[in-house]
Amino acid sequence: MGGLRQAAKAGLEAFLARSGAARAFGGSRRGEVLILAYHNIRGDDATPSGDRSLHLPLRSFRGQLDRLTGNHDVIPLTEVFDAPRSDRPRVAITFDDAYVGAVTLGIPELVSRGLPATIFVAPHFLGGQSFWWDAIADSEGLTEPVRMRALEELRGEDRRIRDWATANHRTIVEPALDSRCVSEAVLTDVASAPGITLGSHTWSHPNLARLDGAELAEEFTRPLAWLKERFTSVVPWVSYPYGRWSPLVATAAQAAGYRAGLRVDGGWYRPGRDADFAIPRLNVPAGLSADGFALRLAGLFCQ
């Protein structure tokens, strides 16, 4: 059944892309910015594992970059609030989690094209640690009931979720090295590349909307201080883990010294009209077709 739904979706996207719907719907985007949210980039021959939607094949990533550079201005995240320099739509590229594959496969593709990007880091996981959503996923990935229990009841906290999984006899399988978090040494190397900046993904990647004031302050202040002590290419932006936020979370982020906060859903961002601490992004899942990517760049299916 899942295969049939996927085929029907691909067919619809192909029809819309070729019918001119993307051009008709897109219209003028002057003054707006589309911020893309990526997670991991895996080799084309790598065996899919973990939370499948987060691990985009390198071939697909290259194709998306080719489309972007042909039709858009790819700008640094820090220029999102600036006035546009041309009539072309503007796009900013971000990565959450600092996966090894994203850093060693994805970033070189950007650097070779002279494209900027920001990597959002949760320092607690640096050094080859895996993330719970990859470790407890089965051959079908993660079911929605498991994901929701992990995010809400267990607050998105890695140790609590792994303990729950063990107690409930779920198999924990550590993913391949390219699907784990990078080391500090590798992060140091990539942070020196032209156009590459680092931002905060909190300290330990919890569901911020489930934390209290003191816990929120710790999750916001600790990673920003850690990054600034070690790197010069740090932007005071935070990417909310799982995209979970609330007005209280936004207030805490601003109090901790951040300039802006990013969700992981939504579409085009309108500076001056959308809230700076709930900025939308377009999440780019691994299964997204080339036609689907083009339609989302135009604003279709972004929400």
Side-chain angles (χ1 to χ4, degrees):
M1 184 64 71
L4 290 175
R5 285 197 298 267
Q6 191 68 25
K9 180 180 178 183
L12 174 61
E13 290 175 344
F15 170 76
L16 291 173
R18 287 155 179 73
S19 71
R23 291 189 300 273
F25 188 85
S28 173
R29 294 291 180 182
R30 186 170 179 81
E32 299 182 24
V33 183
L34 186 65
I35 304 174
L36 300 179
Y38 290 97
H39 291 83
N40 197 23
I41 307 297
R42 64 173 178 86
D44 294 324
D45 296 327
T47 301
S49 63
D51 190 349
R52 306 294 197 274
S53 68
L54 303 182
H55 304 279
L56 182 72
L58 179 59
R59 182 186 303 108
S60 298
F61 185 59
R62 286 171 171 161
Q64 291 173 6
L65 294 183
D66 290 343
R67 179 176 288 275
L68 285 174
T69 54
N71 301 295
H72 299 73
D73 288 336
V74 181
I75 64 171
L77 195 60
T78 52
E79 293 184 9
V80 161
F81 300 118
D82 297 346
R85 300 179 182 179
S86 77
D87 290 330
R88 296 193 349 151
R90 296 182 298 160
V91 170
I93 296 173
T94 66
F95 290 89
D96 283 359
D97 305 322
Y99 275 103
V100 169
V103 169
T104 61
L105 295 177
I107 295 301
E109 291 292 329
L110 294 169
V111 173
S112 69
R113 290 169 167 82
L115 302 178
T118 298
I119 305 168
F120 287 99
V121 183
H124 171 78
F125 293 95
L126 291 174
Q129 293 192 59
S130 65
F131 301 100
W132 68 263
W133 52 85
D134 291 319
I136 74 169
D138 58 24
S139 60
E140 300 300 321
L142 285 175
T143 65
E144 195 60 21
V146 169
R147 188 187 302 275
M148 292 306 297
R149 183 164 192 170
L151 294 185
E152 296 301 326
E153 180 181 335
L154 303 174
R155 307 199 315 174
E157 295 174 350
D158 192 88
R159 175 44 52 197
R160 292 182 67 185
I161 295 167
R162 289 173 188 265
D163 288 345
W164 168 83
T166 299
N168 286 271
H169 310 292
R170 290 187 66 92
T171 301
I172 296 178
V173 179
E174 293 300 331
L177 292 178
D178 64 354
S179 294
R180 303 185 193 185
C181 195
V182 295
S183 66
E184 184 178 337
V186 172
L187 191 64
T188 299
D189 287 342
V190 76
S192 66
I196 304 304
T197 54
L198 304 179
S200 166
H201 202 28
T202 71
W203 182 259
S204 63
H205 207 287
N207 175 359
L208 298 173
R210 300 288 291 173
L211 304 188
D212 63 25
E215 292 172 313
L216 275 177
E218 173 79 2
E219 286 290 338
F220 281 136
T221 58
R222 189 176 178 187
L224 190 57
W226 188 93
L227 288 166
K228 287 182 175 180
E229 286 173 0
R230 290 162 175 80
F231 307 99
T232 58
S233 56
V234 176
V235 296
W237 288 54
V238 61
S239 168
Y240 303 131
Y242 319 108
R244 300 301 179 95
W245 73 284
S246 68
L248 177 63
V249 169
T251 298
Q254 189 170 15
Y258 291 95
R259 171 64 183 86
L262 293 168
R263 293 153 39 197
V264 76
D265 61 344
W268 287 82
Y269 169 58
R270 302 165 297 176
R273 287 180 284 173
D274 293 332
D276 292 350
F277 282 88
I279 293 177
R281 287 186 292 174
L282 173 62
N283 183 50
V284 184
L288 187 62
S289 68
D291 290 326
F293 185 69
L295 292 170
R296 283 159 180 78
L297 289 180
L300 285 166
F301 309 125
C302 276
Q303 300 303 322

